[in-house]
Amino acid sequence: MREILPALNRWYAARTPFGLATVVAVSRSAPRGPGAAMAVGPDDEVVGSVSGGCVEGAVYELAQEVVASGEARLETFGYSNEDAFAVGLTCGGEITLLVRPVTPGSDPAFGAVAASVAAGEPVTVATVVDGPAPRGATLAVWPDTVTGTLGASGLDVAVTADARGELALGATGLRHYGPHGERREDDVTVFLHSFAPPPRMLVFGAIDYAAAVARLGDFLGYRVTVCDARPVFATPKRFPQGVEVVVDWPHRYLSGTQTDERTVICVLTHDPKFDVPLLEEALRRPAAYIGAMGSRRTHDERHKRLVEAGLTEAELARLRSPVGLDLGARTPEEVAISVAAEIVALRWGGTGAPLTLTAGAIHPAGSG
């Protein structure tokens, strides 16, 4: 979508209707993932791709049809065993597309969304895919504002909360609701398309606990990097596929790495010569979470060293140490769960208390 936005912006600004096809679901070896898009505009101009060429001809015709009818369509394409030359994916996969007409009248927030994407500002677009709600209706959700409607106020509230949760992770995918936003029903299918890069998780110390934390971080949607100065431990084979492994002194690597308010930093080095200079750097830069492993004795000694290094009380107050929630964790995997739970609780203002001991809404309005 980012690649074709200049053309879409041009058409939209000229108030020229165009057909927009978006991949909303895939299975098996589909060539492109959710969010891939293709559009057909004036003079039959085509931009983008949804399958690398397998079904673009059919999608071209669909896009023209939805512009003519003004009604969105949901179509699934897959491989046909009966006729290898039929419209389908020769790779054997399957993709589901939402094809909808876009005009200033049908999608008044499109221009603002395009401007945010171009400026690198995070925004999620929620679009009704199926069910008892207007197919193709959109709701644009920014961290602090919302534009549009999916047809029911309750549905808008529930989707807004989830959209902000997906936006925090830069995640894209389908969600299911009741007609009025009921979370335990699946009548209405909504596609949440987040325009934000996934947040980073920086794990320092290539120990067994780091491998478990990296696995959970990857599962939660973070872009995970593990860093350790010891090449014998910092080897890719010890970590999940997709996790970046860096051999460098932790504080040196962090000093040359960009972080922001969504970045998670987990210090598992458990060695003063690594973690003290590393935390000096970490506590003076943007981050959503900074946690350090160690016993209470280790924490006290580390705190003393950080004070001696000149860190202020405000800076030290950002440190979550000892790291994690009190779950009674013992194994690396259990400790990783306690760390992940603390990260989630801190992000959304959770208490970490059992829900059976709390009262009121589990998901406050406007939360993710």
Side-chain angles (χ1 to χ4, degrees):
M1 179 69 82
R2 294 177 190 273
E3 299 167 357
I4 66 175
L5 268 178
L8 305 191
N9 246 340
R10 175 164 42 86
W11 300 339
Y12 189 83
R15 306 186 70 83
T16 304
F18 59 89
L20 178 61
T22 305
V23 177
V24 297
V26 302
S27 67
R28 299 190 296 277
S29 56
R32 303 205 66 186
M38 168 182 161
V40 179
D43 300 322
D44 297 332
E45 182 179 354
V46 178
V47 293
S49 171
V50 291
S51 73
C54 296
V55 302
E56 269 68 8
V59 175
Y60 171 80
E61 295 179 0
L62 277 172
Q64 291 182 315
E65 291 172 10
V66 301
V67 169
S69 68
E71 298 181 356
R73 301 239 325 244
L74 187 68
E75 297 287 342
T76 298
F77 296 94
Y79 179 75
S80 170
N81 290 321
E82 290 75 22
D83 183 359
F85 295 98
V87 173
L89 301 179
T90 55
C91 60
E94 183 176 275
I95 61 172
T96 298
L97 304 176
L98 177 68
V99 189
R100 65 184 181 95
V102 179
T103 66
S106 66
D107 194 347
F110 186 90
V113 169
S116 289
V117 174
E121 300 166 353
V123 60
T124 293
V125 178
T127 308
V128 174
V129 171
D130 204 6
R135 177 176 289 163
T138 61
L139 183 74
V141 181
W142 288 266
D144 56 359
T145 188
V146 179
T147 299
T149 180
L150 302 182
S153 59
L155 181 59
D156 290 345
V157 169
V159 171
T160 295
D162 287 346
R164 286 183 173 143
E166 299 292 76
L167 189 57
L169 292 173
T172 288
L174 295 174
R175 289 289 188 105
H176 303 277
Y177 307 87
H180 301 285
E182 299 89 342
R183 293 183 178 278
R184 298 184 67 181
E185 299 182 23
D186 58 3
D187 304 274
V188 180
T189 302
V190 177
F191 181 63
L192 300 182
H193 192 175
S194 295
F195 293 93
R200 297 197 68 186
M201 173 181 280
L202 305 177
V203 182
F204 295 96
I207 60 176
D208 289 345
Y209 291 94
V213 169
R215 279 194 294 272
L216 266 184
D218 182 63
F219 176 76
L220 290 174
Y222 287 92
R223 181 162 64 95
V224 182
T225 298
V226 176
C227 175
D228 197 302
R230 302 163 296 183
V232 67
F233 295 115
T235 60
K237 67 181 181 181
R238 300 185 64 226
F239 297 93
Q241 185 177 5
V243 170
E244 180 187 28
V245 180
V246 174
V247 179
D248 200 351
W249 279 82
H251 71 283
R252 185 169 61 192
Y253 173 77
L254 183 58
S255 67
T257 300
Q258 185 176 0
T259 63
D260 59 28
E261 288 74 13
R262 300 186 303 152
T263 303
V264 167
I265 299 174
C266 297
V267 179
L268 312 180
T269 47
H270 210 268
D271 185 330
K273 71 175 178 290
F274 290 126
D275 59 18
V276 171
L278 172 59
L279 288 170
E280 283 186 63
E281 177 68 32
L283 293 169
R284 288 171 171 155
R285 60 168 49 232
Y289 175 92
I290 303 170
M293 177 177 280
S295 66
R296 298 198 186 279
R297 178 178 178 181
T298 297
H299 167 76
D300 291 342
E301 179 62 26
R302 184 164 50 211
H303 185 277
K304 178 182 176 182
R305 290 172 180 260
L306 291 171
V307 170
E308 292 172 350
L311 271 77
T312 67
E313 286 302 316
E315 291 168 337
L316 290 169
R318 302 177 61 205
L319 180 60
R320 315 292 290 194
S321 174
V323 71
L325 297 184
D326 180 14
L327 305 182
R330 293 291 185 272
T331 67
E333 291 73 21
E334 290 172 345
V335 170
I337 289 172
S338 79
V339 173
E342 185 176 44
I343 291 169
V344 172
L346 186 63
R347 180 195 301 150
W348 300 116
T351 64
L355 290 174
T356 55
L357 301 180
T358 64
I362 296 175
H363 300 287
S367 68

